[in-house]
Amino acid sequence: MNSEQVQEINLIAPPLPYTMGNGGDLIKHGLLAEFATWQCKSLKRKLTFYDPFGGRPWQQPIHKEVSNRIKKLAECPLKQILQQENNKYIGSGHIVKKISAMHGNTIKTFSSDRESSARHDLKITGLPLI
């Protein structure tokens, strides 16, 4: 491709805030949701998922910019899961756990965090700790 063929691309979406569901989270959680769906639905394999940095189990309400970005997503497993969550943005462990349950599969999901209050929050939401 030469310089005449290169077109300038303008990004029209505002950057997402540094919060749960930011751009990095949407990419990471989108890939994770696709992989978990493939494993549970297509391959029907049992897995164990370890999330060594669980952070908070969710953010509620979702930051407005993150919510707008989720609404614009094409239909995909991540969007399907997040639409069921009543304005909560859930973390990796809960995304995997919910996709596993949707497809009648069992993925053992473990989570952790260095911060004791975050560990406590993860535990009371039903994620076993590592």
Side-chain angles (χ1 to χ4, degrees):
M1 187 180 299
N2 63 38
S3 60
E4 293 172 12
Q5 294 172 316
V6 175
Q7 294 180 337
E8 184 177 323
I9 299 173
N10 293 317
L11 297 176
I12 56 173
L16 293 174
Y18 188 73
T19 183
M20 277 187 83
N22 64 19
D25 265 359
L26 288 175
I27 292 168
K28 174 183 71 173
H29 291 149
L31 290 170
L32 182 60
E34 292 288 341
F35 179 79
T37 300
W38 174 63
Q39 287 288 310
C40 292
K41 186 177 177 183
S42 302
L43 300 181
K44 301 190 186 313
R45 291 190 180 162
K46 308 249 184 265
L47 296 173
T48 301
F49 175 74
Y50 294 100
D51 185 8
F53 180 71
R56 296 285 179 235
W58 57 68
Q59 179 177 352
Q60 186 177 18
I62 300 174
H63 190 283
K64 182 181 174 191
E65 290 300 324
V66 174
S67 180
N68 290 339
R69 188 70 57 92
I70 291 167
K71 289 175 188 170
K72 292 178 184 178
L73 287 175
E75 286 305 314
C76 62
L78 178 63
K79 184 175 184 176
Q80 184 179 8
I81 290 294
L82 292 177
Q83 285 177 329
Q84 298 170 6
E85 287 303 312
N86 196 25
N87 202 27
K88 282 193 287 190
Y89 189 95
I90 58 175
S92 301
H94 285 286
I95 288 169
V96 171
K97 188 174 180 178
K98 288 181 179 292
I99 287 174
S100 174
M102 277 176 49
H103 297 290
N105 201 330
T106 303
I107 294 179
K108 292 181 183 175
T109 306
F110 297 91
S111 196
S112 185
D113 200 282
R114 290 179 64 182
E115 186 181 326
S116 61
S117 63
R119 285 180 61 82
H120 173 74
D121 290 348
L122 291 165
K123 185 177 182 180
I124 64 173
T125 62
L127 290 179
L129 299 179
I130 52 175

